Amino acid sequence: MSTPSQTVGPYLSIGLPWDDGPEVVPEGTPGAIVLRGVIHDGNGVPVPDAMVETWQADADGRFDHPDDPRGRVAGFRGFGRCPTDEQGRWSIRTVVPGAVPGTGGRTQAPHIDVSVLGRGLLHRVVTRIYFPEHAEANAADEVLASVPEDRRGTLIAVREADGYRFDVRLQGDGETVFFEV
């Protein structure tokens, strides 16, 4: 006799979201964009009870963090959090980040780090969002270069009128590339 599968949650809506979580920068910030998408499960069905977290540098590639090797720059939170709605949609207002230092004196292409938490996931999954207008920097990015060429497209956002779209597929055909951290 088999036992039913168990899942953690969904408890994400209890205490994790906060009012300005999706607002990494306030409305009206110069260069502000809206980053949006839909989280899909392995069958392509939107996930209504997921949480998207983002972490990024500011437009100059700097962090308000004491570990920034170029020195801390105060005033940019760099962290966003947004629960998905009933249709699996999420949205964060931010800026396109600048390039950040990589290893061995190299530079990483502008990117946003993303964590997704949701039903059936015992641990968060982690990915990155790269931007299509930085094709040359993307080609030189050591992390993106570590991804098989035919899967890199799952990490490139699609430009829209007021920002970018980045859908996440948790598994199955077209699964988004996730990284071990």
Side-chain angles (χ1 to χ4, degrees), residues 8 23 26 37 47 57 70 76-77 99 121 129 134 150-151 160:
V8 176
E23 307 295 325
V47 179
R70 296 148 305 160
F76 182 73
R77 182 174 76 202
L121 296 175
I129 300 172
H134 295 288
D150 65 330
R151 305 240 6 252
E160 293 187 328

Side-chain angles (χ1 to χ4, degrees), residues 51-54 113-117 124-127:
M51 180 78 66
V52 175
E53 294 181 340
T54 62
D113 295 313
V114 179
S115 293
V116 178
L117 302 97
R124 68 185 174 134
V125 292
V126 177
T127 191

Side-chain angles (χ1 to χ4, degrees), residues 54-68:
T54 62
W55 172 248
Q56 68 176 90
D58 69 9
D60 295 321
R62 305 288 299 271
F63 294 95
D64 184 1
H65 193 277
D67 290 340
D68 189 316

